[in-house]
């Protein structure tokens, strides 16, 4: 089956890149004390989530696409457990990344009060809430609100988006995915707006002895990174959101190729997130 073979090849590359990228980022942060800020636990959270996706869910999809295209019994322990883990890690990753973006936004736009706003205690509280939210949402289908089933077009056990489970589908898609993506895109767009203002009026950075003019190219490069981040988020998530809405409101499975590509793109984010985080650092 060509779709399954291409899907497997793409997922293998994604798994390798996810594991390598997140391990490197974790080692860099752990081996450099100056990088361990009050909020570095946010980076640790989405790194561990993405690493777990790269080590468990992505290889599971590769195996299914090559050897188990007929899938598993939807009510089986393996299918239910893998779907629970998939949803838990997916939500924890995107929401941890969202709060890491909020942290960067606060550092740039509220520089004078940043140290009092973003503290280690508040960071720990945010992480507890993020993982608690992810855990509750992942447990809902196990409690009867929503359903986990094997998807032959995604080659994974995942939430079912059939009309019978529309309430859970909308909760997951809108609150779990669309809202954090809109928050991140809005913040990056506002940062780009600030960058353009700085370029127009010019900026000087001073120390005890001299003042240096900051070239416009510095701001231009920063804005390119932000724009690329927004484009990357939209390209990776919009196809998945579209296929989920299509399945929810039509009651039909999306085309196999479209569903497979959309699933691969959202799992690819586990490989891209460490690079996004690194490029948006000062």
């Amino acid at each position: 089956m060509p779709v399954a073979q291409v899907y497997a090849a793409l997922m293998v590359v994604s798994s390798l890149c996810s594991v390598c990228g997140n391990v490197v980022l974790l080692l860099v942060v752990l081996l450099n004390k100056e990088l361990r800020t009050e909020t570095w636990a946010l980076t640790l959270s989405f790194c561990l989530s993405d690493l777990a996706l790269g080590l468990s869910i992505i290889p599971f999809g590769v195996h299914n696409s090559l050897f188990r295209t007929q899938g598993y019994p939807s009510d089986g322990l393996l299918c239910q457990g893998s779907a629970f883990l998939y949803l838990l890690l997916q939500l924890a990753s995107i929401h941890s990344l969202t709060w890491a973006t909020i942290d960067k936004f606060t550092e740039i736009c509220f520089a004078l009060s940043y140290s009092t706003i973003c503290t280690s205690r508040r960071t720990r509280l945010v992480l507890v809430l993020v993982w608690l939210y992810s855990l509750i949402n992942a447990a809902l289908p196990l409690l009867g609100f929503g359903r986990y089933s094997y998807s032959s077009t995604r080659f994974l056990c995942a939430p079912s988006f059939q009309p019978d489970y529309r309430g859970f589908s909308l909760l997951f898609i809108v609150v779990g995915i669309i809202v954090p993506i809109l928050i991140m895109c809005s913040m990056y767009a506002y940062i780009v707006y600030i960058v353009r203002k700085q370029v127009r009026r010019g900026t000087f950075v001073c120390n005890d002895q001299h003042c240096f003019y900051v070239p416009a190219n510095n701001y231009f490069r920063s804005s390119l990174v932000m724009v690329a981040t927004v484009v990357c988020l939209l390209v990776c998530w919009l196809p998945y959101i579209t296929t989920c809405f299509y399945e929810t409101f039509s009651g039909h499975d999306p085309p196999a190729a479209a569903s497979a590509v959309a699933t691969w793109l959202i799992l690819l984010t586990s490989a891209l997130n460490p690079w996004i985080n690194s490029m948006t650092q000062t």
Side-chain angles (χ1 to χ4, degrees):
M1 185 178 179
V3 172
Q5 293 171 357
V6 173
Y7 176 87
L10 293 174
M11 292 283 270
V12 167
V13 174
S14 299
S15 180
L16 292 174
C17 292
S18 174
V19 172
C20 293
N22 285 288
V23 166
V24 168
L25 181 56
L26 285 172
L27 288 176
V28 167
V29 174
L30 291 174
L31 295 177
N32 292 272
K33 292 183 179 180
E34 62 273 15
L35 296 180
R36 284 181 246 162
T37 62
E38 294 288 326
T39 58
W40 80 283
L42 295 171
T43 301
L44 180 66
S45 177
F46 77 74
C47 260
L48 292 177
S49 301
D50 292 338
L51 182 59
L53 280 170
L55 289 173
S56 58
I57 302 303
I58 300 180
F60 188 61
V62 174
H63 175 268
N64 295 340
S65 62
L66 293 178
F67 306 110
R68 290 295 297 267
T69 54
Q70 299 303 315
Y72 303 84
S74 293
D75 57 351
L77 183 61
L78 178 61
C79 188
Q80 294 289 303
S82 65
F84 171 82
L85 185 63
Y86 168 67
L87 189 60
L88 172 67
L89 295 175
Q90 189 181 65
L91 288 174
S93 174
I94 190 171
H95 283 272
S96 297
L97 184 63
T98 301
W99 279 101
T101 303
I102 293 173
D103 174 57
K104 294 185 186 71
F105 178 84
T106 306
E107 185 179 11
I108 293 172
C109 298
F110 303 95
L112 296 179
S113 54
Y114 171 74
S115 59
T116 58
I117 295 174
C118 297
T119 62
S120 58
R121 183 178 180 180
R122 289 177 179 173
T123 300
R124 289 193 295 269
L125 177 61
V126 165
L127 285 178
V128 169
L129 293 176
V130 164
W131 280 93
L132 184 61
Y133 167 81
S134 303
L135 184 63
I136 291 174
N137 273 265
L140 288 178
L142 301 178
L143 301 175
F145 184 67
R147 181 171 180 263
Y148 288 134
S149 62
Y150 181 80
S151 171
S152 58
T153 58
R154 297 184 176 94
F155 303 101
L156 288 171
C157 291
S160 173
F161 297 105
Q162 291 298 311
D164 292 342
Y165 311 104
R166 187 172 295 170
F168 172 78
S169 300
L170 293 177
L171 175 67
F172 167 63
I173 299 169
V174 176
V175 181
I177 297 176
I178 294 179
V179 170
I181 289 176
L182 286 178
I183 290 173
M184 285 189 280
C185 290
S186 300
M187 288 186 171
Y188 282 131
Y190 187 73
I191 292 172
V192 171
Y193 169 73
I194 292 175
V195 166
R196 290 187 62 190
K197 287 182 63 177
Q198 293 294 96
V199 169
R200 285 198 297 267
R201 69 185 184 184
T203 305
F204 290 87
V205 176
C206 300
N207 56 27
D208 295 337
Q209 298 177 340
H210 304 285
C211 284
F212 305 92
Y213 176 73
V214 179
N217 285 341
N218 287 8
Y219 292 108
F220 181 69
R221 285 194 296 270
S222 299
S223 64
L224 279 181
V225 170
M226 301 297 175
V227 171
T229 300
V230 170
V231 171
C232 178
L233 281 170
L234 295 178
V235 168
C236 288
W237 283 99
L238 280 180
Y240 183 75
I241 294 171
T242 303
T243 57
C244 291
F245 274 130
Y246 174 81
E247 188 175 342
T248 299
F249 290 102
S250 72
H252 301 294
D253 290 333
S259 183
V261 169
T263 303
W264 167 67
L265 283 173
I266 62 164
L267 292 173
L268 179 64
T269 58
S270 66
L272 298 178
N273 285 343
W275 297 105
I276 290 174
N277 181 267
S278 300
M279 288 190 299
T280 53
Q281 296 293 337
T282 54

PDB file of all heavy atoms in Angstrom, residues 240-256:
ATOM      1  N   TYR A 240      -4.679  18.879  10.174  1.00  0.00           N
ATOM      2  CA  TYR A 240      -5.263  17.991  11.186  1.00  0.00           C
ATOM      3  C   TYR A 240      -6.587  18.549  11.689  1.00  0.00           C
ATOM      4  O   TYR A 240      -7.581  17.809  11.826  1.00  0.00           O
ATOM      5  CB  TYR A 240      -4.280  17.822  12.337  1.00  0.00           C
ATOM      6  CG  TYR A 240      -4.735  16.869  13.410  1.00  0.00           C
ATOM      7  CD1 TYR A 240      -4.707  15.496  13.193  1.00  0.00           C
ATOM      8  CD2 TYR A 240      -5.185  17.325  14.642  1.00  0.00           C
ATOM      9  CE1 TYR A 240      -5.122  14.606  14.177  1.00  0.00           C
ATOM     10  CE2 TYR A 240      -5.602  16.455  15.627  1.00  0.00           C
ATOM     11  CZ  TYR A 240      -5.564  15.097  15.398  1.00  0.00           C
ATOM     12  OH  TYR A 240      -5.979  14.225  16.370  1.00  0.00           O
ATOM     13  N   ILE A 241      -6.630  19.842  11.965  1.00  0.00           N
ATOM     14  CA  ILE A 241      -7.872  20.467  12.428  1.00  0.00           C
ATOM     15  C   ILE A 241      -8.961  20.332  11.370  1.00  0.00           C
ATOM     16  O   ILE A 241     -10.124  20.024  11.673  1.00  0.00           O
ATOM     17  CB  ILE A 241      -7.618  21.955  12.764  1.00  0.00           C
ATOM     18  CG1 ILE A 241      -6.682  22.072  13.969  1.00  0.00           C
ATOM     19  CG2 ILE A 241      -8.934  22.681  13.036  1.00  0.00           C
ATOM     20  CD1 ILE A 241      -6.204  23.477  14.246  1.00  0.00           C
ATOM     21  N   THR A 242      -8.587  20.521  10.098  1.00  0.00           N
ATOM     22  CA  THR A 242      -9.557  20.420   9.001  1.00  0.00           C
ATOM     23  C   THR A 242     -10.131  19.010   8.896  1.00  0.00           C
ATOM     24  O   THR A 242     -11.346  18.824   8.766  1.00  0.00           O
ATOM     25  CB  THR A 242      -8.896  20.810   7.670  1.00  0.00           C
ATOM     26  OG1 THR A 242      -8.367  22.141   7.778  1.00  0.00           O
ATOM     27  CG2 THR A 242      -9.907  20.766   6.526  1.00  0.00           C
ATOM     28  N   THR A 243      -9.263  17.995   8.959  1.00  0.00           N
ATOM     29  CA  THR A 243      -9.748  16.615   8.849  1.00  0.00           C
ATOM     30  C   THR A 243     -10.615  16.239  10.056  1.00  0.00           C
ATOM     31  O   THR A 243     -11.596  15.494   9.905  1.00  0.00           O
ATOM     32  CB  THR A 243      -8.582  15.629   8.725  1.00  0.00           C
ATOM     33  OG1 THR A 243      -7.691  15.779   9.848  1.00  0.00           O
ATOM     34  CG2 THR A 243      -7.798  15.864   7.441  1.00  0.00           C
ATOM     35  N   CYS A 244     -10.272  16.749  11.233  1.00  0.00           N
ATOM     36  CA  CYS A 244     -11.087  16.462  12.423  1.00  0.00           C
ATOM     37  C   CYS A 244     -12.476  17.074  12.296  1.00  0.00           C
ATOM     38  O   CYS A 244     -13.488  16.421  12.598  1.00  0.00           O
ATOM     39  CB  CYS A 244     -10.394  16.984  13.680  1.00  0.00           C
ATOM     40  SG  CYS A 244      -8.902  16.089  14.137  1.00  0.00           S
ATOM     41  N   PHE A 245     -12.542  18.323  11.846  1.00  0.00           N
ATOM     42  CA  PHE A 245     -13.847  18.972  11.651  1.00  0.00           C
ATOM     43  C   PHE A 245     -14.648  18.257  10.562  1.00  0.00           C
ATOM     44  O   PHE A 245     -15.867  18.087  10.688  1.00  0.00           O
ATOM     45  CB  PHE A 245     -13.664  20.446  11.280  1.00  0.00           C
ATOM     46  CG  PHE A 245     -13.533  21.356  12.466  1.00  0.00           C
ATOM     47  CD1 PHE A 245     -12.504  22.281  12.547  1.00  0.00           C
ATOM     48  CD2 PHE A 245     -14.449  21.302  13.503  1.00  0.00           C
ATOM     49  CE1 PHE A 245     -12.384  23.120  13.639  1.00  0.00           C
ATOM     50  CE2 PHE A 245     -14.347  22.143  14.608  1.00  0.00           C
ATOM     51  CZ  PHE A 245     -13.305  23.052  14.674  1.00  0.00           C
ATOM     52  N   TYR A 246     -13.968  17.843   9.496  1.00  0.00           N
ATOM     53  CA  TYR A 246     -14.657  17.140   8.410  1.00  0.00           C
ATOM     54  C   TYR A 246     -15.292  15.850   8.933  1.00  0.00           C
ATOM     55  O   TYR A 246     -16.466  15.551   8.651  1.00  0.00           O
ATOM     56  CB  TYR A 246     -13.672  16.825   7.295  1.00  0.00           C
ATOM     57  CG  TYR A 246     -14.245  15.965   6.187  1.00  0.00           C
ATOM     58  CD1 TYR A 246     -15.021  16.517   5.173  1.00  0.00           C
ATOM     59  CD2 TYR A 246     -14.021  14.578   6.176  1.00  0.00           C
ATOM     60  CE1 TYR A 246     -15.560  15.717   4.174  1.00  0.00           C
ATOM     61  CE2 TYR A 246     -14.552  13.778   5.180  1.00  0.00           C
ATOM     62  CZ  TYR A 246     -15.312  14.352   4.181  1.00  0.00           C
ATOM     63  OH  TYR A 246     -15.852  13.553   3.197  1.00  0.00           O
ATOM     64  N   GLU A 247     -14.530  15.105   9.701  1.00  0.00           N
ATOM     65  CA  GLU A 247     -15.044  13.835  10.229  1.00  0.00           C
ATOM     66  C   GLU A 247     -16.165  14.070  11.239  1.00  0.00           C
ATOM     67  O   GLU A 247     -17.148  13.326  11.286  1.00  0.00           O
ATOM     68  CB  GLU A 247     -13.897  13.064  10.880  1.00  0.00           C
ATOM     69  CG  GLU A 247     -14.255  11.653  11.292  1.00  0.00           C
ATOM     70  CD  GLU A 247     -13.052  10.874  11.814  1.00  0.00           C
ATOM     71  OE1 GLU A 247     -11.913  11.303  11.545  1.00  0.00           O
ATOM     72  OE2 GLU A 247     -13.262   9.845  12.484  1.00  0.00           O
ATOM     73  N   THR A 248     -16.022  15.137  12.053  1.00  0.00           N
ATOM     74  CA  THR A 248     -17.016  15.422  13.088  1.00  0.00           C
ATOM     75  C   THR A 248     -18.366  15.800  12.500  1.00  0.00           C
ATOM     76  O   THR A 248     -19.413  15.348  12.977  1.00  0.00           O
ATOM     77  CB  THR A 248     -16.508  16.552  14.003  1.00  0.00           C
ATOM     78  OG1 THR A 248     -15.296  16.134  14.633  1.00  0.00           O
ATOM     79  CG2 THR A 248     -17.536  16.897  15.064  1.00  0.00           C
ATOM     80  N   PHE A 249     -18.359  16.642  11.470  1.00  0.00           N
ATOM     81  CA  PHE A 249     -19.628  17.173  10.957  1.00  0.00           C
ATOM     82  C   PHE A 249     -20.168  16.408   9.752  1.00  0.00           C
ATOM     83  O   PHE A 249     -21.351  16.527   9.436  1.00  0.00           O
ATOM     84  CB  PHE A 249     -19.453  18.650  10.602  1.00  0.00           C
ATOM     85  CG  PHE A 249     -19.273  19.525  11.802  1.00  0.00           C
ATOM     86  CD1 PHE A 249     -18.009  19.998  12.164  1.00  0.00           C
ATOM     87  CD2 PHE A 249     -20.348  19.866  12.600  1.00  0.00           C
ATOM     88  CE1 PHE A 249     -17.840  20.801  13.282  1.00  0.00           C
ATOM     89  CE2 PHE A 249     -20.185  20.659  13.725  1.00  0.00           C
ATOM     90  CZ  PHE A 249     -18.929  21.131  14.064  1.00  0.00           C
ATOM     91  N   SER A 250     -19.335  15.613   9.078  1.00  0.00           N
ATOM     92  CA  SER A 250     -19.830  14.849   7.935  1.00  0.00           C
ATOM     93  C   SER A 250     -20.136  13.400   8.304  1.00  0.00           C
ATOM     94  O   SER A 250     -20.973  12.755   7.662  1.00  0.00           O
ATOM     95  CB  SER A 250     -18.811  14.875   6.791  1.00  0.00           C
ATOM     96  OG  SER A 250     -17.675  14.079   7.110  1.00  0.00           O
ATOM     97  N   GLY A 251     -19.467  12.894   9.316  1.00  0.00           N
ATOM     98  CA  GLY A 251     -19.651  11.503   9.692  1.00  0.00           C
ATOM     99  C   GLY A 251     -18.885  10.532   8.814  1.00  0.00           C
ATOM    100  O   GLY A 251     -19.017   9.313   8.974  1.00  0.00           O
ATOM    101  N   HIS A 252     -18.081  11.048   7.882  1.00  0.00           N
ATOM    102  CA  HIS A 252     -17.303  10.200   6.971  1.00  0.00           C
ATOM    103  C   HIS A 252     -15.820  10.334   7.289  1.00  0.00           C
ATOM    104  O   HIS A 252     -15.347  11.391   7.736  1.00  0.00           O
ATOM    105  CB  HIS A 252     -17.553  10.594   5.519  1.00  0.00           C
ATOM    106  CG  HIS A 252     -18.993  10.489   5.109  1.00  0.00           C
ATOM    107  ND1 HIS A 252     -19.654   9.294   5.032  1.00  0.00           N
ATOM    108  CD2 HIS A 252     -19.889  11.447   4.771  1.00  0.00           C
ATOM    109  CE1 HIS A 252     -20.908   9.503   4.656  1.00  0.00           C
ATOM    110  NE2 HIS A 252     -21.082  10.805   4.500  1.00  0.00           N
ATOM    111  N   ASP A 253     -15.077   9.262   7.031  1.00  0.00           N
ATOM    112  CA  ASP A 253     -13.622   9.329   7.177  1.00  0.00           C
ATOM    113  C   ASP A 253     -13.037  10.198   6.073  1.00  0.00           C
ATOM    114  O   ASP A 253     -13.475  10.118   4.919  1.00  0.00           O
ATOM    115  CB  ASP A 253     -13.012   7.930   7.089  1.00  0.00           C
ATOM    116  CG  ASP A 253     -13.348   7.090   8.305  1.00  0.00           C
ATOM    117  OD1 ASP A 253     -13.569   7.673   9.383  1.00  0.00           O
ATOM    118  OD2 ASP A 253     -13.397   5.840   8.168  1.00  0.00           O
ATOM    119  N   PRO A 254     -12.062  11.031   6.392  1.00  0.00           N
ATOM    120  CA  PRO A 254     -11.395  11.812   5.344  1.00  0.00           C
ATOM    121  C   PRO A 254     -10.595  10.895   4.434  1.00  0.00           C
ATOM    122  O   PRO A 254     -10.334   9.734   4.785  1.00  0.00           O
ATOM    123  CB  PRO A 254     -10.488  12.759   6.132  1.00  0.00           C
ATOM    124  CG  PRO A 254     -10.261  12.078   7.437  1.00  0.00           C
ATOM    125  CD  PRO A 254     -11.506  11.290   7.728  1.00  0.00           C
ATOM    126  N   PRO A 255     -10.189  11.366   3.251  1.00  0.00           N
ATOM    127  CA  PRO A 255      -9.356  10.539   2.366  1.00  0.00           C
ATOM    128  C   PRO A 255      -8.123  10.021   3.095  1.00  0.00           C
ATOM    129  O   PRO A 255      -7.532  10.730   3.924  1.00  0.00           O
ATOM    130  CB  PRO A 255      -8.981  11.506   1.237  1.00  0.00           C
ATOM    131  CG  PRO A 255     -10.076  12.524   1.231  1.00  0.00           C
ATOM    132  CD  PRO A 255     -10.497  12.681   2.669  1.00  0.00           C
ATOM    133  N   ALA A 256      -7.732   8.805   2.786  1.00  0.00           N
ATOM    134  CA  ALA A 256      -6.641   8.152   3.510  1.00  0.00           C
ATOM    135  C   ALA A 256      -5.347   8.961   3.458  1.00  0.00           C
ATOM    136  O   ALA A 256      -4.665   9.131   4.473  1.00  0.00           O
ATOM    137  CB  ALA A 256      -6.410   6.751   2.941  1.00  0.00           C
TER     138      ALA A 256
END
